[in-house]
Amino acid sequence: MLVHYFEELEQEQIKEFIEEINLASRQAFNLLGNLLEWARSQTGRILYSPEKISMDEIVQKNKDLLEQNAKEKNIHLANDVEPDTFVYADKDMIATVIRNLMTNALKYTPYGGKVTITSKNAGDFTETWISDTGIGIGEEDMDKLFRIDTKYSTLGTANERGTGLGLILCKEFIKGNHGKIWVKSEVGKGSDFKFTLPKQIQE
Ligand SMILES: Nc1ncnc2c1ncn2[C@@H]1O[C@H](COP(=O)(O)OP(=O)(O)O)[C@@H](O)[C@H]1O
Ligand SMILES: [Mg+2]
């Protein structure tokens, strides 16, 4: 359609089309990344290779990657990771978890909101949470999250689409790295996705 009528389109329409294509391709790219990583984890092709990771570094890297998404919805994205917060985990897996949780937070937060990522030491573990000022999740839908049999997915505040695979992957990867993941949320106020990871090698 765009190809056929290109010459007759107004500048403004062309801009709209480009924005749509841009969004769709980024969503497809994210989905493909998730699927590839999941497939790799299932076939054992990529070994679980834990190492000491700086939470600040890995959060900052993913924040930079998603800054454009945040800008489009005028959402303030903050890195509140305490210095000297380290985990012993697989870097690729943890980056995927952080990217998915941040993407969700941005997706379910309306224009002008705030998304914050915090990490702190808590005994032998670290705690990390992604908080948003978004639409929240109803009590009746909480049980549907993190589960492959329900594949629960709803549209974002800018009608962003999804597959319901992101949180399942997060749970698999956090479990595989000896941590726990859970969520607290209030409709109309926002959500807090929280996970723990060990600081030392686990036997
Ligand atoms: N931060 C959030 N705020 C509100 N709802 C959320 C949030 N994160 C996840 N959800 C809900 O959980 C569902 C599943 O999330 P996910 O597994 O990442 O799938 P997807 O993003 O592809 O829909 C979402 O569709 C949405 O309904
Ligand atoms: Mg998602």
Side-chain angles (χ1 to χ4, degrees):
M1 148 100 170
L2 182 60
V3 177
H4 286 111
Y5 299 106
F6 191 79
E7 268 135 44
E8 295 156 33
L9 290 172
E10 302 281 338
Q11 194 90 0
E12 193 51 35
Q13 284 176 301
I14 294 175
K15 193 168 159 250
E16 263 170 46
F17 275 125
I18 291 174
E19 275 164 7
E20 255 175 62
I21 293 167
N22 184 267
L23 182 69
S25 67
R26 271 190 287 135
Q27 281 168 352
F29 184 74
N30 193 27
L31 170 62
L32 188 63
N34 275 343
L35 286 175
L36 274 178
E37 228 139 322
W38 179 78
R40 286 195 309 196
S41 73
Q42 291 302 302
T43 55
R45 200 83 64 81
I46 280 280
L47 290 177
Y48 159 68
S49 55
E51 59 185 305
K52 188 180 174 188
I53 317 172
S54 151
M55 283 308 289
D56 178 56
E57 212 177 291
I58 200 164
V59 165
Q60 192 55 42
K61 212 178 262 178
N62 282 281
K63 177 177 178 280
D64 291 344
L65 277 174
L66 292 172
E67 204 63 69
Q68 186 56 30
N69 294 36
K71 243 187 218 152
E72 275 163 26
K73 290 172 93 172
N74 193 27
I75 291 171
H76 179 63
L77 195 51
N79 172 358
D80 253 355
V81 174
E82 285 185 0
D84 291 326
T85 315
F86 291 90
V87 296
Y88 188 77
D90 184 292
K91 211 175 198 168
D92 291 337
M93 289 183 179
I94 303 313
T96 302
V97 170
I98 292 171
R99 197 185 63 230
N100 272 310
L101 295 179
M102 282 171 83
T103 307
N104 278 349
L106 291 171
K107 183 167 156 183
Y108 298 103
T109 297
Y111 194 88
K114 187 172 181 192
V115 170
T116 313
I117 306 99
T118 315
S119 249
K120 67 172 178 63
N121 291 302
D124 293 336
F125 285 75
T126 64
E127 286 179 356
T128 302
W129 60 104
I130 286 88
S131 312
D132 63 58
T133 59
I135 58 176
I137 303 161
E139 197 65 54
E140 68 283 7
D141 295 322
M142 286 289 201
D143 294 342
K144 300 178 193 159
L145 307 177
F146 303 109
R147 281 171 50 180
I148 194 108
D149 54 335
T150 45
K151 266 206 278 147
Y152 178 67
S153 180
T154 58
L155 290 179
T157 54
N159 290 324
E160 302 99 316
R161 260 170 300 201
T163 55
L165 289 174
L167 288 180
I168 294 163
L169 201 61
C170 289
K171 183 156 191 195
E172 285 288 307
F173 284 179
I174 290 297
K175 210 168 69 185
N177 282 276
H178 309 282
K180 290 200 172 81
I181 182 167
W182 68 97
V183 59
K184 284 199 182 119
S185 185
E186 207 175 319
V187 172
K189 287 220 165 136
S191 307
D192 260 321
F193 281 81
K194 200 159 183 172
F195 63 81
T196 60
L197 283 171
K199 292 201 285 205
Q200 311 277 345
I201 279 190
Q202 298 292 293
E203 294 311 322

